[in-house]
Amino acid sequence: MKQILIVEDNKDSREILGLFVTKFGHQPIKACNSREAITYAEAECPNLIFMDLDLPDADGIKTTAILKKNPKTSHIPVVAVTAWMSALSEEKASNVGIATYLIKPVSPQNVKGDHRGIH
């Protein structure tokens, strides 16, 4: 069973994404802000991170940059989850190592497509 860290400040979105992850046979780990994301990523070393870009304490791009600089977490693929993605946001996300992104609202088909790359 693969572990997937879900970083999302909206409780309903976090729970729905957690249900999708569980449906596909993986174990969700849930964080509601940047601080928790970093703590859980270091402690659990998940196979994938779904990262909301709009977090209350630090945005998902900054959080990903911190994770990618940490030898314990730099190898973990990060998928941005956002309500919108501008060209500038996409460029910033790519520059910090975000592999791809999902546009909210996320559907089970989108999640399934992005979790297949987990090894």
Side-chain angles (χ1 to χ4, degrees), residues 102-119:
L102 298 174
I103 299 295
K104 293 179 184 178
V106 177
S107 72
Q109 293 80 13
N110 296 114
V111 172
K112 184 176 182 182
D114 275 303
H115 95 280
R116 277 182 275 175
I118 303 170
H119 302 290

Side-chain angles (χ1 to χ4, degrees), residues 54-76:
D54 187 22
L55 297 170
D57 54 345
D59 68 42
I61 290 175
K62 290 178 186 171
T63 305
T64 300
I66 291 167
L67 292 171
K68 292 299 183 179
K69 289 178 185 173
N70 182 336
K72 289 182 181 179
T73 57
S74 64
H75 67 282
I76 304 169

Side-chain angles (χ1 to χ4, degrees), residues 6-24:
I6 299 165
V7 185
E8 170 63 64
D9 63 320
N10 180 284
K11 182 182 178 188
D12 291 337
S13 295
R14 192 171 54 244
E15 293 303 316
I16 290 168
L17 198 48
L19 290 172
F20 294 162
V21 165
T22 301
K23 177 181 177 175
F24 295 118

